[in-house]
Amino acid sequence: MIALFALSATLFGYTLPSDPVRYSVELNYDGYLPVLGGLEQTAKVNIGLVVSGRTDGIATTQLETLSVALRDLENGGWAVLPFNEESVRPFFPTSTIRFEKSGRILETDMPKNELPMRLPGLDLQHIPDVTFMFLEFPEQEIEEGHKWSFERKFGASLVKYHAEYLGTDEKGAKFGVQLTQEYEVKEDENNNPTTDEAEVAQVVKTKVEGGGTVWFKGPKGLISAVEVTANAVSHVYSMKAGDPVGQRRLRTQFKIEYLGPKS
C-alpha cells in the first residue's frame, strides 16, 4: 500500500500593523569602500527604523537612530564618525511606500537623496527593499521546498533574487535567498563617482553575489529577521587605454531584526 502525505501549502503576504514597530539594521563592511577617494577599510553602520502600515498597501518608514564607525587601524578599536540620525535627517526624511501584499514595491515618495557618506546598500529610495520588505513572495500558495525568482531595480541595474521556502523554525517561516547584481560606475581621477563626461577617468564594473536567510512572521505578517552576506568584485578600466588597471573587493553583511512595537 502506498501512503500519500500532502504538504501544507501557504499563501504568504505582508500585513504591516498600524501601530509603529521597530527594526534594527546592522551593516558590516570589509574591503574597498568608495569614500574619501577609496579606502581599504572595515566599517559598520547601525540603523534603527520605525515602520507602520498607514493603510492597507501603504507603509511609512521613519529613521530613529543611526551611527557609522570605521575600524581604527592603529589600536583595533572603532572610530565613530560624526554622522547620526539628526545630522542625516535632512537627507533621510520620513517616507511612504505603496506595495502589494506579495512585497512588490510599487512606488516611494522618498526623494533621491544621497547620504554625506556613500556606502553600498544604503540607497535611501530602496531602504524598504533591503530591510522590512526584503523578500517578494509568489502570488500563489507554496509548499516547503518551493523555489521562485524575482527582480528589483536599483538605480540603473537589476538585482536578481532566487528564493526557496525552507519550512519553519523557532524564528518563524524560513526562506533561503541568493542574489546577483551587475552594474558600472564612472569615476574621476580621484576615484570619486561622476556623471560629468569631461571628468571621467575610469569605469568600474562590479558583480555582486550573495545569499543568506530570511525569516517571516506569518503567513500574513512581516519579516522577523534577515541574515545575508554579499560579495562584490569590481574591475577598474582606464578610459584612456581601455585596459584593466585594478581590482576591488568588498564583503557586506546585512543583519536585520524585528524588535517589536514601539513603546
Side-chain angles (χ1 to χ4, degrees), residues 149-195:
S149 301
F150 62 96
E151 296 180 343
R152 284 175 167 171
K153 190 171 184 179
F154 287 71
S157 68
L158 286 176
V159 181
K160 299 179 180 180
Y161 298 82
H162 301 282
E164 180 179 3
Y165 179 25
L166 302 177
T168 59
D169 63 14
E170 67 279 0
K171 290 185 181 181
K174 183 178 180 181
F175 301 88
V177 61
Q178 300 293 320
L179 61 90
T180 59
Q181 180 185 20
E182 294 185 28
Y183 61 92
E184 67 176 55
V185 175
K186 296 177 179 179
E187 294 181 343
D188 62 20
E189 59 184 9
N190 296 313
N191 298 341
N192 294 311
T194 181
T195 57

Side-chain angles (χ1 to χ4, degrees), residues 18-39:
S18 57
D19 292 332
V21 298
R22 297 171 62 236
Y23 277 92
S24 67
V25 182
E26 179 182 323
L27 297 96
N28 292 285
Y29 299 95
D30 186 9
Y32 182 90
L33 294 175
V35 296
L36 302 176
L39 295 171

Side-chain angles (χ1 to χ4, degrees), residues 73-122:
L73 300 180
E74 292 186 1
N75 60 30
W78 291 99
V80 179
L81 300 183
F83 300 113
N84 58 32
E85 59 276 9
E86 295 304 323
S87 62
V88 306
R89 207 176 299 281
F91 307 92
F92 198 151
T94 298
S95 62
T96 299
I97 60 168
R98 186 168 62 87
F99 65 94
E100 295 178 346
K101 286 188 176 296
S102 64
R104 181 169 175 261
I105 297 174
L106 302 174
E107 63 180 352
T108 177
D109 65 2
M110 171 68 80
K112 192 172 179 58
N113 294 333
E114 293 180 356
L115 291 172
M117 183 176 184
R118 297 180 62 183
L119 290 170
L122 282 180

